[in-house]
């Protein structure tokens, strides 16, 4: 079992920045690759960014490349998502997720409550 608690969301104007955090507990954090997903009402959950177990490899959705940065601190069991130059289309509930990452990301079915990000135009 893995428990996940996301935080850091909020309301921000277009062009602004937010930093999301996700603290994981229950299993050894460094055993998992981690990812951030986002979901808007009526749409499927979308993979935004992924990071390998040690943090040496990352990947991003084309829509956020150059604006978002995923990172992790295994000593703190925490994964982060730094979001810059935010756009209204980034508005969504953001979730962190543990999985496997070897070129592509495979998620395990563990999810937190998510954190709402709202970007106003």
């Amino acid at each position: 079992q893995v428990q996940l608690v996301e935080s850091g969301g909020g309301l921000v104007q277009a062009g602004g920045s937010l930093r999301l955090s996700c603290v994981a507990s229950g299993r050894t954090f460094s055993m998992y690759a981690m990812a951030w997903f986002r979901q808007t009402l009526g749409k499927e959950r979308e993979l935004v960014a992924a990071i390998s177990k040690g943090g040496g490899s990352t990947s991003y959705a084309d829509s956020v490349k150059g604006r978002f940065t995923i990172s992790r601190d295994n000593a703190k069991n925490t994964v982060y998502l730094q979001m810059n130059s935010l756009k209204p289309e980034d508005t969504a509930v953001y979730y962190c997720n543990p999985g496997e990452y070897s070129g592509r990301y495979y998620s395990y079915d563990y999810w937190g409550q998510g954190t709402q990000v709202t970007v106003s135009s």
Side-chain angles (χ1 to χ4, degrees):
Q1 287 285 350
V2 178
Q3 292 79 44
L4 304 159
V5 179
E6 301 96 339
S7 63
L11 174 63
V12 64
Q13 288 189 330
S17 298
L18 284 173
R19 189 194 195 203
L20 307 184
S21 299
C22 169
V23 179
S25 61
R27 298 289 292 268
T28 304
F29 182 69
S30 59
M31 290 175 54
Y32 299 103
M34 294 296 296
W36 285 95
F37 286 75
R38 65 186 180 188
Q39 188 171 28
T40 55
L41 197 61
K43 293 188 177 181
E44 289 191 3
R45 208 164 281 183
E46 172 192 20
L47 176 62
V48 174
I51 188 166
S52 60
K53 296 175 184 180
S57 296
T58 57
S59 63
Y60 298 91
D62 287 344
S63 58
V64 307
K65 277 181 183 175
R67 300 188 298 121
F68 290 11
T69 302
I70 188 171
S71 62
R72 65 189 296 162
D73 185 338
N74 286 348
K76 295 182 178 180
N77 289 0
T78 302
V79 61
Y80 304 98
L81 186 68
Q82 178 66 45
M83 306 187 295
N84 299 328
S85 303
L86 282 160
K87 304 175 180 180
E89 51 264 44
D90 294 319
T91 295
V93 179
Y94 284 72
Y95 301 88
C96 65
N97 170 260
E100 297 293 334
Y101 178 47
S102 56
R104 62 169 292 181
Y105 186 79
Y106 301 88
S107 68
Y108 295 138
D109 194 22
Y110 295 111
W111 302 96
Q113 83 289 347
T115 186
Q116 175 72 48
V117 172
T118 304
V119 185
S120 63
S121 58

